[in-house]
Amino acid sequence: MTVITERPPPATPVAEPSAHPPLRLSLRPQGPSSGLLDGAWWPRSRDLTRELPALTDLLDPLWGRITRVTVNPTHWPVVPRKIPVNGHVVKVGWYKDEQDPHQLLVLSYHVGRWDLLIIPPETGAAAAARLMAAACDPRIVRTGSALIADDLGRHPAAPAEADPPGRTQAEAWEAEGGAMAAPPVGTVGGR
C-alpha cells in the first residue's frame, strides 16, 4: 500500500502553495489489476472545489493528466462542472443512481480509469486507516459503501471526543478547518 501524505511540488508556480493541508490518500501498489478499488481518498471537507485540485494535482504526475472525475452528489452539497487545476481544467460529472456514493471515478488521457474510496471527512483517524488499508488490498472485492458499512459494523463509531477544557466552540471550529462568519449586527463583537 502506498500512503501519500504530502503534495509534491507543483509543476508550475501557484499563488498559495500552502493553501491546502497535506493530502490524505492511499493507492494500491502497482501490479495486476484486481479488486474494485484502486485506493482511498480522505478529504478534509465536502467542498469539491477546494478538495479536488489538491487530489488531481498530486495524481497528474502519477497517472497522467487527470481530465475528468465523477462523483455521486449524495454527500457533496455542490458539484461544480469544471475545476481549474494547475494549468488545466478537470471536468466533474455526477451520477446519482449509477455511482456508489462513497467512490470517486478518476479518468486520465494516458492511463485510463481508477476508482477511489471516498472516506467521509468526519471519519476518525483509526477508522480511516482501516478503510485506506482495505481499499488498497487487492484481495478485497468490495464497493466503497460496502467497505464503510463493514467497518461500521465491526467498529461502531465512538462518541465524539470532548474539546479540551477552556477551548470554545469557535476555537474548535477554527482549529478543525472551519471558518467563522462575522457575528450578526447587534451582538457582542458585531458591527
Side-chain angles (χ1 to χ4, degrees):
M1 168 175 71
T2 303
V3 177
I4 301 171
T5 59
E6 294 185 19
R7 292 174 39 180
T12 58
V14 290
E16 299 177 56
S18 61
H20 199 278
L23 196 63
R24 302 180 297 189
L25 176 71
S26 64
L27 301 174
R28 188 176 64 213
Q30 299 246 349
S33 195
S34 61
L36 293 179
L37 298 168
D38 300 298
W41 174 46
W42 185 20
R44 297 179 186 280
S45 73
R46 295 195 183 275
D47 181 353
L48 280 172
T49 304
R50 176 179 160 87
E51 299 293 335
L52 278 177
L55 177 66
T56 57
D57 192 34
L58 183 128
L59 293 177
D60 273 356
L62 299 173
W63 292 346
R65 179 171 280 191
I66 304 304
T67 57
R68 185 172 191 75
V69 297
T70 66
V71 297
N72 180 313
T74 302
H75 299 294
W76 302 100
V78 176
V79 179
R81 293 180 58 115
K82 296 177 182 179
I83 296 179
V85 178
N86 200 16
H88 71 283
V89 173
V90 174
K91 293 179 183 177
V92 182
W94 60 271
Y95 299 98
K96 187 163 177 88
D97 297 328
E98 295 86 12
Q99 187 167 343
D100 186 308
H102 293 287
Q103 286 182 214
L104 176 76
L105 170 71
V106 181
L107 299 167
S108 90
Y109 279 134
H110 302 291
V111 183
R113 167 189 172 149
W114 297 270
D115 291 284
L116 298 176
L117 166 67
I118 302 172
I119 300 171
E122 62 275 4
T123 303
R130 288 189 303 269
L131 289 165
M132 285 183 153
C136 291
D137 187 336
R139 298 167 298 171
I140 296 178
V141 182
R142 309 282 290 164
T143 65
S145 290
L147 280 177
I148 288 174
D150 289 350
D151 190 72
L152 281 174
R154 288 188 198 118
H155 308 278
E161 293 181 27
D163 286 327
R167 185 167 158 179
T168 68
Q169 189 175 27
E171 290 169 332
W173 177 255
E174 288 289 334
E176 294 169 3
M180 295 297 294
V185 175
T187 62
V188 177
R191 295 176 198 104

